[in-house]
Amino acid sequence: MIQMIADTHVHIWDFQRAEYAWLKNNTSILNRTYSIDELDTQRKEAGVTTGILVQAANNFEDTDWMLHVAVNTDWIAGIVGWLPLTNPDATLKALQKKYGKENYFKGVRHLIHDEPDAKWLLQPEVIESLHILSEHNIPYDVVGILPEHIETALEVAGKVPHLKMVFDHLNQPPIATKEKFGKWGELMKEAAQHKNFYAKISGLGTAAQKGESWTADDIKPSIEFTLEHFGTDRCFLGGDWPVSLLAGTYNSAWKNYRTVIDELLPVAERSKIYYRNAANFYSF
């Protein structure tokens, strides 16, 4: 029997299809088009059976391109797209006229970590749009990098209590500083008390800030902490390709994640983290 493994955080970008503001003047390996075909061999070797594409630009063009790729790629189960959350009318219109009818439209995200204001989500218009997502049973991906982003998400949970949210990349745990676990830990413990907060174990290789030399031991404490507080029903995994390539290969990242999960959990619980929780969250 094949073990089902969902990678809930795959990026693609195509400079001919959309504009990616954060990649302008970027001098890293990320500053080129990345197509889904590049990942096929690697994801098979890593044992990944299912994928979710996640937005990389705050525009409709990126979302439309992901939808096109998802429809034409057999292992992609859906996308986390973008909606103009600062305009509730436009958000509702986009759902009613287009994305709400798309089977592959599974969630929404905005690049809040690129916004100058860490409290960007608390704008009244954005809160109104998040209510619309909640009413349509569409979850929201929180891509935070600061403790203030967790604090903001906690306030959102108070204002939109039925909205399901997931912390992408665990909101940057302090792996590089080896702090256990400081302000991040206090806030994540608080977030874990809300049943609609989920934790995406992803992006930890780059968070370790050790280049390609990071190991399972580097990320194990953060994952163990997350599993302890969020439980085995609200955590799932993401590879964060191609951003993850800044810290080594796709295979090496998945090997480290799987090593930790297999060490920490009995066989009966692993399938939740590898697949079932993701399928429940993103409805695939």
Side-chain angles (χ1 to χ4, degrees), residues 178-213:
K178 294 184 167 56
E179 187 179 8
K180 293 184 181 177
F181 288 95
K183 184 75 169 174
W184 173 85
E186 293 170 22
L187 290 169
M188 289 296 272
K189 273 187 197 176
E190 186 177 346
Q193 301 304 309
H194 295 251
K195 64 181 177 60
N196 283 329
F197 270 127
Y198 291 68
K200 187 181 290 190
I201 299 166
S202 59
L204 302 187
T206 45
Q209 297 181 22
K210 295 175 71 172
E212 297 182 11
S213 65

Side-chain angles (χ1 to χ4, degrees), residues 125-156:
E125 298 83 2
V126 175
I127 292 295
E128 189 176 338
S129 292
L130 294 177
H131 274 291
I132 293 169
L133 295 189
S134 178
E135 289 160 9
H136 285 76
N137 199 29
I138 296 171
Y140 183 78
D141 272 53
V142 179
V143 55
I145 57 175
L146 303 170
E148 289 80 6
H149 288 129
I150 309 176
E151 291 171 343
T152 296
L154 285 165
E155 287 192 57
V156 170

Side-chain angles (χ1 to χ4, degrees), residues 37 46 51 149 257 280:
D37 297 338
H149 288 129
Y257 288 134
N280 289 337

Side-chain angles (χ1 to χ4, degrees), residues 12-172:
I12 53 170
W13 44 81
D14 187 328
F15 294 163
Q16 303 303 311
R17 302 281 182 163
E19 185 175 310
Y20 305 87
W22 65 280
L23 283 170
K24 285 183 178 176
N25 304 316
N26 186 299
T27 58
S28 77
I29 59 172
L30 301 181
N31 196 2
R32 68 169 176 84
T33 288
Y34 279 87
S35 70
I36 198 65
D37 297 338
E38 291 183 58
L39 190 53
D40 205 45
T41 299
Q42 300 167 61
R43 67 97 187 168
K44 287 176 181 174
E45 291 173 354
V48 169
T49 59
T50 309
I52 294 287
L53 298 177
V54 178
Q55 64 100 220
N58 297 331
N59 55 53
F60 285 128
E61 291 83 4
D62 173 54
T63 295
D64 291 343
W65 176 235
M66 287 192 298
L67 279 171
H68 172 80
V69 171
V71 169
N72 291 284
T73 308
D74 60 1
W75 66 280
I76 297 297
I79 75 157
V80 174
W82 177 85
L83 290 174
L85 299 178
T86 54
N87 186 334
D89 290 339
T91 291
L92 182 59
K93 182 180 177 182
L95 285 175
Q96 290 177 334
K97 302 283 188 185
K98 187 175 186 180
Y99 298 125
K101 302 170 185 176
E102 292 278 1
N103 289 334
Y104 285 91
F105 194 87
K106 302 298 189 182
V108 170
R109 187 174 89 148
H110 181 93
L111 300 178
I112 62 167
H113 62 309
D114 289 338
E115 297 288 350
D117 183 5
K119 298 187 179 228
W120 186 92
L121 284 171
L122 294 176
Q123 297 171 86
E125 298 83 2
V126 175
I127 292 295
E128 189 176 338
S129 292
L130 294 177
H131 274 291
I132 293 169
L133 295 189
S134 178
E135 289 160 9
H136 285 76
N137 199 29
I138 296 171
Y140 183 78
D141 272 53
V142 179
V143 55
I145 57 175
L146 303 170
E148 289 80 6
H149 288 129
I150 309 176
E151 291 171 343
T152 296
L154 285 165
E155 287 192 57
V156 170
K159 295 174 183 292
V160 195
H162 299 296
L163 178 67
K164 287 199 301 185
M165 290 184 277
V166 61
F167 289 106
D168 290 352
H169 318 321
L170 301 184
N171 204 101
Q172 292 291 108

